[in-house]
Amino acid sequence: MDTRLIQIRKNVETLSAEEEESLKQAGEVIKRGGLVAFPTETVYGLGGDALNPESARKIYAAKGRPSDNPLIIHISNIEDMERITQEIPEEAACLAAAFWPGPMTMILRKSGEVPHETTGGLDTVAVRMPSDQVARKLITYSGGYVAAPSANLSGKPSPTAVKYVMEDMMGRIDVIIDGGEGRIGLESTIVDMTVMPPRILRPGYITKEMLEKALGEKVDIDVTIMRDDSGQAPKAPGMKYRHYAPKGILTLVEGEPEAVIIYINKQAGLDKEAGEKVGVIGTSEQLMAYRADVVKSVGSRLDEESIAHRLYAVLREFDDEGVTRIYSESFDREGLGQAIMNRLLKAAGHRVVTL
Ligand code: TXA
Ligand code: MG
């Protein structure tokens, strides 16, 4: 399949007539049952018509993803939520008003309009209204309901820049829209609104504290988010699959900065003697202290958003460098750190050294 690449400058206030026309055409592609990768403020999505079962099948095929893993339906107006859901609890309306458009996905009971192919056989549906303007225009031109998982091949980190989408999806889908890098870099927060209190199934940029403040009531967190073997099946089916794991064996090291540096340097020395190629994921504050084959900054400890933004790119870069052992600093498990640690723990298969 020939994949067409469309370039859009980020500021849609100044979309040229040509760019507007390209987005319209990309919308037509989705309406006709085709697939279009597009930027969002979190990661790139792989979009198809959410109300067309054939489109869902195509998405699973393009990603190489099991078809019981449900898709998020992206909308461009809050009111559009009504057609695809049964009832909208007051709490859901409250969170939509507080955080949409933005990096939050809500699980609600689905209406008959949503095919089971899109929801992986579930009677609930995941809904999100992204803040990225290019995404919203595309959704509107596509008829209003775009099912989109992250635009990576199954088993790879979600793509935070168009070059990664091209690596994974060239030749597999109809169109790729280049709209620059996502501001956030980690996938949206998923909140299950079919239970009370609402429950976070996947942590993200919108934190538990932010949700609780908006609702004025307690929000739960699925126990499987930070634990390896809780004996409970996660409620977001996607979280049960063996997630992205880097090609090198990744270990997280938790402790005081000095101790972490000493441990990692010692371990890196031993690994090197054993013939391994060693990589380190560090923060800019302590990067100079590491001795290893490849040392990469994931951002600044003083700015967790910088870490969220760069994490997936760093993991992809390590795969390309052919390192066989990777050590990473750890982060706070509160606030945005919870989302960062959730993704790192998965990538590390929960291999953590606590000093
Ligand atoms: O930021 C994001 O959410 C990105 C961008 C493209 O919007 N999308 C994304 O989609 O991360 P995906 O498919 O990679 O992850 C969707 C997650 C999966 O873990 C899936 O199991 C869960 O959402 N999910 C979808 N529908 C669900 C439902 N009805 N009940 C529980 N979990 C659901
Ligand atoms: Mg994904």
Side-chain angles (χ1 to χ4, degrees):
M1 179 189 293
D2 275 343
T3 303
R4 187 177 152 212
L5 185 67
I6 294 175
Q7 236 133 10
I8 306 280
R9 287 157 312 145
K10 208 62 204 183
N11 184 356
V12 289
E13 250 58 270
T14 60
L15 264 199
S16 66
E18 205 182 313
E19 287 172 322
E20 192 79 41
E21 183 53 34
S22 303
L23 278 183
K24 209 174 275 177
Q25 284 174 14
E28 289 299 323
V29 168
I30 290 181
K31 275 186 181 164
R32 287 198 306 267
L35 301 186
V36 176
F38 62 99
T40 84
E41 71 278 20
T42 59
V43 300
Y44 273 78
L46 172 56
D49 182 353
L51 307 183
N52 177 350
E54 191 47 44
S55 298
R57 276 192 279 271
K58 280 192 197 167
I59 289 174
Y60 295 122
K63 273 185 72 88
R65 170 180 191 161
S67 59
D68 64 343
N69 193 352
L71 307 172
I72 295 174
I73 301 188
H74 296 68
I75 57 176
S76 53
N77 296 292
I78 291 188
E79 312 81 69
D80 293 348
M81 182 167 41
E82 277 165 32
R83 183 168 160 205
I84 52 173
T85 55
Q86 272 182 28
E87 77 269 285
I88 298 165
E90 206 182 300
E91 289 85 354
C94 168
L95 291 184
F99 300 112
W100 280 355
M104 178 194 67
T105 297
M106 290 194 286
I107 308 294
L108 296 158
R109 293 199 194 289
K110 83 172 192 71
S111 75
E113 299 242 11
V114 183
H116 276 117
E117 282 78 357
T118 299
T119 65
L122 297 175
D123 290 326
T124 53
V125 61
V127 192
R128 162 161 128 82
M129 175 172 163
S131 64
D132 187 288
Q133 306 249 23
V134 173
R136 287 222 307 282
K137 272 206 180 240
L138 175 73
I139 294 162
T140 303
Y141 284 135
S142 304
Y145 298 95
V146 174
S150 48
N152 52 289
L153 283 175
S154 187
K156 295 251 213 138
S158 297
T160 50
V162 77
K163 68 175 170 185
Y164 301 127
V165 179
M166 290 168 71
E167 257 175 47
D168 286 8
M169 290 297 156
M170 264 304 185
R172 302 176 75 91
I173 61 176
D174 302 283
V175 177
I176 296 176
I177 300 175
D178 175 1
E181 283 192 20
R183 182 171 61 82
I184 293 169
L186 294 181
E187 306 87 344
S188 61
T189 306
I190 302 181
V191 199
D192 186 353
M193 302 306 293
T194 66
V195 293
M196 283 301 143
R199 180 177 300 156
I200 297 175
L201 304 184
R202 179 174 74 183
Y205 184 85
I206 306 293
T207 62
K208 178 176 189 289
E209 293 73 25
M210 290 159 79
L211 295 168
E212 286 179 338
K213 192 161 175 228
L215 282 174
E217 60 180 273
K218 191 172 146 356
V219 170
D220 282 344
I221 293 198
D222 189 66
V223 291
T224 58
I225 279 176
M226 291 304 205
R227 275 194 248 154
D228 185 13
D229 184 17
S230 64
Q232 269 173 279
K235 274 204 77 190
M239 310 291 269
K240 89 180 171 221
Y241 293 105
R242 196 181 130 73
H243 250 249
Y244 162 76
K247 290 181 191 146
I249 296 174
L250 171 62
T251 306
L252 309 189
V253 186
E254 227 164 14
E256 292 299 319
E258 284 300 307
V260 168
I261 291 167
I262 291 168
Y263 178 88
I264 289 181
N265 284 346
K266 181 166 157 248
Q267 235 22 67
L270 292 172
D271 288 346
K272 247 181 120 137
E273 273 172 32
E276 306 288 350
K277 183 172 178 185
V278 187
V280 175
I281 301 176
T283 49
S284 52
E285 286 79 9
Q286 46 202 80
L287 209 64
M288 296 299 290
Y290 294 113
R291 302 283 167 265
D293 295 304
V294 188
V295 179
K296 284 186 187 292
S297 171
V298 69
S300 164
R301 203 159 265 286
L302 304 175
D303 176 10
E304 279 186 326
E305 294 194 14
S306 70
I307 296 167
H309 181 78
R310 224 181 105 63
L311 182 63
Y312 285 146
V314 168
L315 290 170
R316 282 201 184 234
E317 288 168 15
F318 271 115
D319 278 351
D320 293 342
E321 302 257 6
V323 298
T324 54
R325 293 281 186 279
I326 310 169
Y327 295 92
S328 173
E329 291 177 26
S330 294
F331 302 94
D332 243 4
R333 297 186 185 210
E334 300 293 314
L336 182 56
Q338 185 167 62
I340 295 169
M341 281 301 280
N342 167 259
R343 307 313 193 273
L344 268 174
L345 282 164
K346 277 175 188 289
H350 291 266
R351 204 173 297 100
V352 184
V353 172
T354 306
L355 301 173

